[in-house]
Amino acid sequence: MSILLMSEPTTIKSSKTHARWDYLDQLESESIHILREVAGQFERPALLFSGGKDSIVLTHLALKAFRPGKFPFPLVHIDTGHNFKEVLDFRDKLAYEFGEKLIVRQVLDSIKKHRLQDAKGKFPSRNALQTYALLDVIEEFEFDACIGGARRDEEKARAKERIFSHRDEFGQWDPKKQRPELWSIYNGKLHKGENMRCFPISNWTELDIWNYIKRENIELPSIYFSHERQCVLTEGGQLLAVTEHIRLDHEDEIVTKNVRFRTVGDSTCTAAVESNAFTLDDIIEDIIAAKVSERGATRLDDRISEAGMEDRKKNGYF
């Protein structure tokens, strides 16, 4: 009679320094799979690239997914005209270093084309008007899929959205007509004129992003780290950077603080947070201690109404 000897389970080591995959490896693998699905299922995809941390992580994942070849899509930025200079400079630098095509379209051009009313008020954000510029660039290049860096933990409307998010021929999103995504199977079928928005890092959190940036040693714009900046104190107690795009009054309180930005977008609606986080480890500690999401803490445009983001997405927003 033979005797079966039981041995210790064998661990297959990866190319990484540790024997077992950690959660960042799993997130990375899922995102690379999604990027390759986009490249395989669509004829003319584009990657929406702002120069912010989430879109920078997306480009890093695209490098892993497609190098040594070129990206199977261009980088596309919808520039509000109110963006932070540090971010725009970094956007151009990264596209040049990667050798990838960067398409930039201005919201102001879409305002003129569609005879829209530019934003007014003290903090005139053009964020909502980005929708028109995005739909214009989709029509111009006939993009059938746009890859974005949205994450489900950012905002409750984004938590409703699938990884492959179907948009109709008008660019509109209907949260009640979303396709099931069972067993990581993504349905990219489109009728003529329709579009898909694809979110490879949808399952990541803000903390995941920063831990991944630290692990992969990814370079970022300096605006994400603590620096001294003049800010105006808003009625809600937020610190908005003093730029030529906001309209200051004599009674405004201008303060100089050590701040950093948790998220970057239109400078007229993206507030800074007081911080002495000069390193990635400092930022990670800040995020662990934070009790409010990055958009909840810093984005003025999300406070327009309870369903502000959802309403914009239904009209074609990112």
Side-chain angles (χ1 to χ4, degrees), residues 67-225:
R67 284 295 190 257
K70 300 279 286 184
F71 291 177
F73 38 69
L75 307 178
V76 175
H77 183 215
I78 305 301
D79 187 351
T80 65
H82 295 167
N83 294 97
F84 292 100
K85 184 179 184 303
E86 301 98 315
V87 178
L88 295 182
D89 290 345
F90 191 92
R91 175 203 70 186
D92 296 340
K93 172 177 173 287
L94 185 143
Y96 175 78
E97 290 178 350
F98 284 4
E100 296 294 341
K101 181 179 181 181
L102 172 65
I103 298 170
V104 179
R105 290 295 180 268
Q106 301 291 334
V107 170
L108 184 58
D109 292 335
S110 292
I111 290 174
K112 294 175 181 177
K113 175 182 176 181
H114 298 286
R115 299 182 180 180
L116 304 171
Q117 185 173 10
D118 203 351
K120 298 186 182 300
K122 190 175 184 63
F123 307 121
S125 171
R126 288 177 176 168
N127 258 19
L129 297 176
Q130 288 183 88
T131 298
Y132 296 92
L134 176 61
L135 296 178
D136 284 344
V137 79
I138 288 172
E139 181 180 10
E140 179 184 355
F141 292 94
E142 298 183 343
F143 293 133
D144 52 359
C146 292
I147 304 164
R151 305 187 324 270
R152 285 177 176 146
D153 72 320
E154 289 181 272
E155 201 275 339
K156 58 186 179 183
R158 287 184 166 167
K160 295 181 180 180
E161 201 155 24
R162 300 286 192 265
I163 288 173
F164 272 28
S165 178
H166 176 265
R167 305 299 173 98
D168 66 19
E169 63 270 27
F170 303 106
Q172 297 173 327
W173 172 63
D174 186 346
K176 296 180 179 179
K177 294 182 179 179
Q178 296 190 83
R179 298 170 179 178
E181 292 180 342
L182 305 176
W183 306 293
S184 298
I185 297 174
Y186 307 108
N187 181 357
K189 183 178 180 180
L190 295 172
H191 296 291
K192 185 174 177 58
E194 295 177 340
N195 186 267
M196 197 71 74
R197 309 291 166 80
C198 306
F199 304 111
I201 58 171
S202 187
N203 289 329
W204 298 48
T205 67
E206 183 186 11
L207 185 58
D208 296 334
I209 290 291
W210 283 105
N211 280 325
Y212 188 74
I213 287 168
K214 178 185 174 183
R215 190 185 82 171
E216 300 291 313
N217 194 27
I218 298 173
E219 187 181 359
L220 293 175
S222 59
I223 200 169
Y224 282 110
F225 299 89

Side-chain angles (χ1 to χ4, degrees), residues 25-88:
D25 294 314
Q26 296 173 35
L27 289 172
E28 177 189 77
S29 178
E30 178 189 53
S31 298
I32 289 172
H33 167 69
I34 293 166
L35 284 168
R36 289 172 175 166
E37 279 289 306
V38 174
Q41 291 198 42
F42 300 99
E43 295 181 8
R44 288 176 296 278
L47 191 153
L48 302 178
F49 178 71
S50 66
K53 68 181 188 307
D54 297 314
S55 60
I56 290 170
V57 166
L58 273 181
T59 60
H60 184 84
L61 291 165
L63 288 174
K64 293 196 174 191
F66 303 112
R67 284 295 190 257
K70 300 279 286 184
F71 291 177
F73 38 69
L75 307 178
V76 175
H77 183 215
I78 305 301
D79 187 351
T80 65
H82 295 167
N83 294 97
F84 292 100
K85 184 179 184 303
E86 301 98 315
V87 178
L88 295 182

